[in-house]
Amino acid sequence: GAGVSQTPSNKVTEKGKYVELRCDPISGHTALYWYRQSLGQGPEFLIYFQGTGAADDSGLPNDRFFAVRPEGSVSTLKIQRTERGDSAVYLCASSLMRESGEQYFGPGTRLTVT
Amino acid sequence: AQSVTQLGSHVSVSEGALVLLRCNYSSSVPPYLFWYVQYPNQGLQLLLKYTSAATLVKGINGFEAEFKKSETSFHLTKPSAHMSDAAEYFCAVSESGGATNKLIFGTGTLLAVQP
């Protein structure tokens, strides 16, 4: 079956621009997570959705970052006024059963801010 | 707060040798523990997980890990390395019974396998 997909795979943008990153989770997975992986680091949690609502957004670094999941499936991570420090790989994961903790990851979107 | 420490950012072994990747965790509640593998330009793939059942957990590709509460460790092992095992490995922890199940990752260990 289809796994988690993310688009685009690569995004290059200029400092100050707005970007949107898309995540298509595995069909039927109610839990969706966004993580950010900087060079040489492990992934860092950004936000968690259960259904349509953001149940935990404690990892978002500041108010330039926002994410939505309006129909409980596809999610979009939005970054306003991008900064060079936002350059990283943004990973999306989905999970069928929250308590099991088994998250399935997409290939990521590599964001480069010039 | 939970945290994970992976000792050794780079590990090199010979093909056929034992693989040992170290992971220590910190958690105030019983944890769930995971090992993920990341191949170049690919997403993270789950190798194995500990969720308070058997302390010795077997995963895919011949890997296993042992949960040792007294040592707060969850080291990953494989008896005989293959060239195809070359990748980056991440240990992660989440809070059992937690509200979100978000994963806290270590900084990763890059495994090189020499012929």
Side-chain angles (χ1 to χ4, degrees):
Chain A
V4 177
S5 63
Q6 293 185 245
T7 54
S9 55
N10 282 281
K11 176 71 177 177
V12 180
T13 190
E14 294 180 347
K15 178 177 178 295
K17 299 291 188 182
Y18 167 83
V19 297
E20 290 190 351
L21 312 179
R22 176 187 168 107
C23 171
D24 280 88
I26 293 172
S27 178
H29 280 194
T30 57
L32 185 145
Y33 303 79
W34 284 98
Y35 294 84
R36 179 169 71 173
Q37 186 174 17
S38 301
L39 194 62
Q41 300 296 317
E44 293 178 305
F45 169 78
L46 294 177
I47 187 169
Y48 158 67
F49 287 89
Q50 182 61 249
T52 60
D56 182 352
D57 64 358
S58 62
L60 295 178
N62 51 60
D63 61 6
R64 295 187 297 105
F65 288 74
F66 189 71
V68 296
R69 194 186 185 198
E71 298 179 357
S73 178
V74 170
S75 176
T76 304
L77 178 66
K78 308 181 181 193
I79 310 174
Q80 299 177 322
R81 304 183 304 279
T82 51
E83 300 177 357
R84 292 193 180 88
D86 298 334
S87 296
V89 176
Y90 289 81
L91 298 169
C92 176
S94 70
S95 175
L96 180 60
M97 292 175 63
R98 188 196 71 200
E99 183 62 17
S100 78
E102 187 159 349
Q103 297 178 24
Y104 296 84
F105 283 79
T109 294
R110 182 176 299 277
L111 175 66
T112 303
V113 182
T114 62
Chain B
Q2 296 176 307
S3 65
V4 170
T5 301
Q6 291 185 242
L7 293 175
S9 59
H10 291 77
V11 170
S12 182
V13 300
S14 299
E15 192 174 18
L18 172 72
V19 176
L20 171 60
L21 304 182
R22 299 178 186 275
C23 172
N24 288 86
Y25 70 91
S26 172
S27 179
S28 57
V29 299
Y32 292 155
L33 293 160
F34 308 82
W35 276 98
Y36 281 86
V37 61
Q38 188 174 36
Y39 297 101
N41 299 315
Q42 294 188 27
L44 292 158
Q45 180 182 4
L46 181 68
L47 276 178
L48 49 82
K49 65 178 181 180
Y50 166 77
T51 56
S52 76
T55 57
L56 182 62
V57 181
K58 294 186 183 299
I60 62 171
N61 301 338
F63 285 93
E64 63 181 36
E66 186 172 9
F67 173 70
K68 292 186 176 181
K69 184 178 179 180
S70 61
E71 299 177 8
T72 61
S73 68
F74 191 58
H75 302 331
L76 181 71
T77 61
K78 181 173 180 177
S80 176
H82 294 166
M83 297 295 290
S84 60
D85 294 328
E88 188 151 27
Y89 292 79
F90 292 94
C91 183
V93 63
S94 71
E95 187 178 296
S96 64
T100 72
N101 231 28
K102 62 187 178 187
L103 295 172
I104 307 299
F105 285 89
T107 52
T109 297
L110 188 61
L111 176 66
V113 182
Q114 308 299 328

